[in-house]
Amino acid sequence: MYIHSIDNGNYLSVKEYLLSLRSPFGTSHSTSVTRKNAFVEIHFEGTSGFGEVGLPPKKDGCYYADYNDVEMFFKHFCDKFKTEYNSSRNQANIKIHDPFKSFPSPYFDGFKNRMSLAPSAPINILLLALFKALDSYDEPSAPPYAPASKCGIEMAMFDLYGKYYKEPLYNTINIPPPNNKVSFYTSALNSDISEMENSTRLGLKYTDCIKIKLNENVDNGIQIIKRLYHVYKQSRNYNSYWSVDANASWTPSSCLDFLFRLKSELPEFLPMLYMIEQPFPVDIVMSSQISNDILQSWSHVKDVYESEGILIFADESISTSAQVPLVSKFVHGVNVKLEKAGGIRGALLAILTAREYGLETWFGCMVSSKLSCTCSAHMLSLSSIGGDLDGELLVEDSSQLLSGGMEWTSDSGRNGYVYLSEENGIGLK
Ligand SMILES: [Mg+2]
């Protein structure tokens, strides 16, 4: 834990946030039963803003941070903040900084107005100094764990702002609440398929939409889908959206084989399959090791899936808005996550760029508590159909530090819609 005292009992802090998972969380690259996330608090004049950083096991090319990295970044950030805060309070020394310069109106309009109308209000001085310190890490020389670390700090800043000025985060961003958007539940990969069936039954209590984690073993993947689809049909007589996350473990030929097998062995499932997430390698657009032939094969995969009405999304291959144009010819959509994008503003930039390129959008989360999932839920209206904000269902109730936040609701007999109350900030206490 690290605490940076400001003045008058105000402080910034970061601490380990240990999560116990309901069942082992397996993907094509790792399996875990606990997670160590980071929990950030910014306490000012009796109000606390909270942030969380979901920290999956490190993976080259996409996941660069563990708790120690985040704490190290936080200490460095606090030093920068201290300098900015002291100079901001000395009006003669104030530096111009616009944290929202990349965003057209109406995004963050209310925030911009409050900052310009009352720049010397104590809360605004604090927030501006925090933004100045945070945005100084935008340069290319920032360490690779900077985006995840920034995400937790920025989340706490927006939460504090919303609680202080009494508005929910979606109002601060100036977007609608997430009406008519669904969240998927992730059935994580397990060598015992009956464990995946049990996990899917739990998810189906909250949502009709299931995301299945698979690895390179296509044959096993087909068996898993058959059994989980059977579980679904035991309780539903209608179709919904499902997705498959290969976590970078497939080749173009296994991707086509998977589709061929599904078409011949479980054709009734195809209309439910909304998308395949990250079938290709993480570095598909960055590596000189991947030949043009392979790249063309991935482009072909996209066309073949498109002809079946199934979308291909990128997850690990796109962190920030900068990668969206690079990956656009291989995908129909992108999975945006706060930790990858460096926070709320970074996620919004990625979404706006994806829209420019005609891509579908999706919000994902790391394995995390309700705090991080709810923060993303505030942005869900910007997605095409929703995302997978199921972190809170994957962890034990005893791991939730805060209460409140997003809820799962039904509409016209369908489950999985995300509901947010009009609580201020992110909405958890
Ligand atoms: Mg994914």
Side-chain angles (χ1 to χ4, degrees), residues 4 15 30 72 75 96 124 185 211 304 313 389 406:
H4 174 85
K15 65 180 178 184
S30 64
M72 183 168 58
K75 288 177 184 170
I96 303 294
N124 292 349
Y185 171 83
K211 170 165 157 176
V304 173
F313 271 61
L389 305 181
M406 65 174 266

Side-chain angles (χ1 to χ4, degrees), residues 13-15 38-42 49-53 70 74 152-153 156:
S13 71
V14 66
K15 65 180 178 184
F39 187 85
V40 177
E41 181 177 356
I42 303 177
F50 302 113
E52 179 181 8
V53 191
V70 174
F74 192 83
I153 297 168

Side-chain angles (χ1 to χ4, degrees), residues 211 213 245 247 277 315-316 335 337:
K211 170 165 157 176
K213 295 276 194 185
D245 190 352
N247 288 107
E277 187 171 314
D315 179 4
E316 287 92 334
N335 180 343
K337 293 176 184 165

